[in-house]
Amino acid sequence: SHGGYLQWDEYDLSAQKIVSAHPSSPTNQLSEMSRRFQTARETSWVGRLPEMFKENGFQSLVVDTRRPSDWYGKMSTELDCMLREEFATTVLDQKGPPGSGDKGRQQIWASGREIAEGSHISNLIQVVAGKKPLATSTSGITAKSEQM
């Protein structure tokens, strides 16, 4: 049995929130984009990462669950849009129903005005790190020492 450390970082898309720059600012396009991509990739399991680590023998878990500061909202959402465009090309175009990648890209582009006005997507990020102990059994292993 092998031991070592593992760290896993994952967005929980099922916990996304849309943050409006101003109460009167529309967020319809961002909300629709968020909904469209949530249904394309199941991530509700992300909240179970700590339990999954424990079930697989990891110990000394460090768990950090947070949303980035709203200060990073515009930049983070623009990066998010780039990733969603890539997802539309590599997953929806290849494996989705015909035209689903095009619809995804149109939704991203339509969200641009809302993002430019300061509205953004707030993602919940789950980071889990754990240690899997090294097996202590030495059966079948012999130690050699060299003499100089």
Side-chain angles (χ1 to χ4, degrees), residues 1-109:
S1 176
H2 301 290
Y5 291 87
L6 176 67
Q7 176 176 317
W8 193 307
D9 309 25
E10 192 77 42
Y11 282 135
D12 186 350
L13 299 180
S14 67
Q16 276 186 345
K17 292 183 180 178
I18 305 301
V19 179
S20 177
H22 308 286
S24 62
S25 296
T27 58
N28 300 347
Q29 298 298 329
L30 276 172
S31 295
E32 178 59 25
M33 180 178 72
S34 177
R35 186 202 60 76
R36 178 182 301 278
F37 281 90
Q38 282 177 10
T39 59
R41 181 170 178 246
E42 172 58 42
T43 62
S44 61
W45 58 269
V46 175
R48 289 199 59 251
L49 269 174
E51 290 79 24
M52 293 165 72
F53 267 59
K54 288 177 189 173
E55 290 166 5
N56 286 284
F58 285 88
Q59 303 171 355
S60 306
L61 298 185
V62 176
V63 179
D64 184 15
T65 304
R66 70 175 71 195
R67 290 182 189 280
S69 167
D70 284 345
W71 191 79
Y72 296 106
K74 183 177 186 294
M75 176 195 65
S76 176
T77 302
E78 288 172 345
L79 175 60
D80 196 323
C81 287
M82 289 173 27
L83 296 172
R84 289 170 193 258
E85 270 195 87
E86 181 67 20
F87 182 82
T89 301
T90 60
V91 176
L92 298 179
D93 283 345
Q94 305 299 319
K95 299 176 182 159
S100 58
D102 292 336
K103 289 178 185 175
R105 280 185 290 278
Q106 289 170 357
Q107 192 66 56
I108 293 163
W109 300 330

